[in-house]
């Protein structure tokens, strides 16, 4: 039986923080800049977020000698349980909508939240999806550290 082509990324994590706080980490520029990019630098003055349906977001990750811009549009904002937004990096063609990211947060207890992350679009090769998944895992490690520190 032939293996089907990879179409996206699915990651589920339990985060040791209240659901409202995890949602803020996705929607407040100071928090988002602190964990998006993992160990890389995301200058707060290079982050823009209009967290409403149809609102735009953008940021730049800085690694030595390289700027990596990301941007997209919020499609759904249902606080504190769900976000859907598009995601494009600087290499994506202008006529491509980009990937669609869905983040669903479920409160498990007062200080425990299940975070279900899904990225779809079919615009990446299986190898690019694997690399992007590794990147998201590193980002989510930084998210865990950010939430544990507060």
């Amino acid at each position: 039986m032939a293996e089907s082509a990879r179409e996206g990324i699915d990651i589920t994590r339990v985060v040791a923080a209240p659901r409202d706080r995890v949602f803020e980490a996705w929607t407040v520029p100071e928090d988002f800049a602190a964990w998006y990019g993992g160990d890389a630098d995301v200058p707060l003055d290079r982050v823009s977020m209009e967290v409403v349906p149809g609102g735009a977001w953008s940021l730049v990750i800085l690694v030595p000698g390289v700027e990596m811009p990301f941007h997209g549009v919020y499609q759904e904002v249902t606080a504190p349980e769900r976000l859907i937004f598009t995601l494009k990096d600087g290499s994506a063609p202008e006529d491509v909508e980009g990937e669609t990211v869905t983040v669903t947060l479920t409160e498990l207890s007062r200080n425990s939240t299940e975070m279900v992350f899904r990225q779809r679009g079919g615009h990446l090769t299986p190898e690019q999806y694997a690399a992007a998944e590794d990147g998201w895992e590193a980002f989510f490690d930084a998210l865990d550290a950010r939430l544990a520190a507060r």
Side-chain angles (χ1 to χ4, degrees):
M1 186 159 152
E3 184 177 326
S4 63
R6 183 170 183 167
E7 296 179 0
I9 300 169
D10 293 285
I11 300 171
T12 299
R13 280 207 177 190
V14 174
V15 181
R19 180 170 71 164
D20 288 346
R21 182 67 192 103
V22 179
F23 190 81
E24 287 174 3
W26 279 93
T27 58
V28 173
E30 293 81 1
D31 284 325
F32 198 59
W35 66 266
Y36 192 96
D39 292 333
D41 186 31
V42 177
L44 189 53
D45 68 344
R46 304 288 299 272
V47 177
S48 173
M49 301 173 80
E50 184 184 357
V51 188
V52 297
W57 72 274
S58 66
L59 61 73
V60 175
I61 297 175
L62 301 178
V63 293
V66 179
E67 289 193 1
M68 299 182 331
F70 291 86
H71 66 278
V73 174
Y74 292 99
Q75 297 177 329
E76 180 183 328
V77 179
T78 306
E81 63 194 56
R82 187 171 161 102
L83 278 175
I84 301 176
F85 58 91
T86 59
L87 168 69
K88 288 176 68 172
D89 67 15
S91 68
E94 281 301 315
D95 62 340
V96 172
E97 181 177 306
E99 299 286 300
T100 299
V101 170
T102 302
V103 179
T104 304
L105 304 173
T106 304
E107 185 174 77
L108 300 177
S109 68
R110 203 175 105 221
N111 287 310
S112 182
T113 302
E114 180 184 67
M115 180 177 73
V116 176
F117 171 91
R118 180 180 168 127
Q119 178 179 326
R120 291 291 184 275
H123 301 292
L124 305 178
T125 66
E127 295 79 15
Q128 289 171 319
Y129 275 121
E133 183 171 2
D134 289 344
W136 281 113
E137 291 283 8
F139 293 2
F140 296 155
D141 289 345
L143 172 64
D144 288 341
R146 171 76 175 179
L147 294 172
R150 300 190 98 207

